[in-house]
Amino acid sequence: MNQVVAIKIDDMVTLHKGLTPDEGERIYKLICQALKNGDNVILDFAGMEIMTTAFLNMVIGILYKDYTSDILQKNILVLQISQVLMLLVSWHLLM
């Protein structure tokens, strides 16, 4: 379909913090559904203060079991993220 699915991470977590794998899993499922439909994904991290590795592994890291890094890099755009958090997300997208 090639639509754009925008996911505002802060709306899906508690108190601007991505801490648990359960919170990450909800986002992971949205990303997978969008990619399965042939859509592009925007992950908007505006308002996020803290994210754990466990959360990011569930949001992004686990995508590598189903998709190549080339597909993920071409179809996922990351917005409004601090430099430190971007390093973590980039590391996951470049694995």
Side-chain angles (χ1 to χ4, degrees):
M1 288 184 188
N2 226 359
Q3 296 180 359
V4 176
V5 175
I7 301 171
K8 183 152 176 32
I9 304 300
D10 193 41
D11 289 345
M12 304 199 63
V13 299
T14 305
L15 300 173
H16 316 290
K17 295 169 178 65
L19 302 176
T20 69
D22 289 340
E23 289 175 316
E25 184 176 17
R26 291 191 303 255
I27 299 164
Y28 162 78
K29 288 178 179 178
L30 290 174
I31 296 169
C32 283
Q33 187 61 51
L35 294 175
K36 182 179 176 182
N37 292 340
D39 298 333
N40 292 318
V41 177
I42 295 174
L43 297 177
D44 184 352
F45 286 88
M48 291 297 294
E49 296 173 2
I50 297 171
M51 289 183 281
T52 65
T53 302
F55 173 80
L56 286 173
N57 280 340
M58 188 55 85
V59 172
I60 297 170
I62 199 167
L63 290 169
Y64 287 90
K65 74 179 174 118
D66 299 314
Y67 301 97
T68 66
S69 58
D70 187 52
I71 288 172
L72 296 176
Q73 289 173 1
K74 287 180 181 177
N75 293 291
I76 297 176
L77 176 64
V78 177
L79 297 178
Q80 307 238 5
I81 190 166
S82 74
Q83 295 261 338
V84 173
L85 294 178
M86 187 59 188
L87 288 173
L88 285 172
V89 171
S90 295
W91 180 78
H92 283 285
L93 287 175
L94 295 174
M95 287 193 332

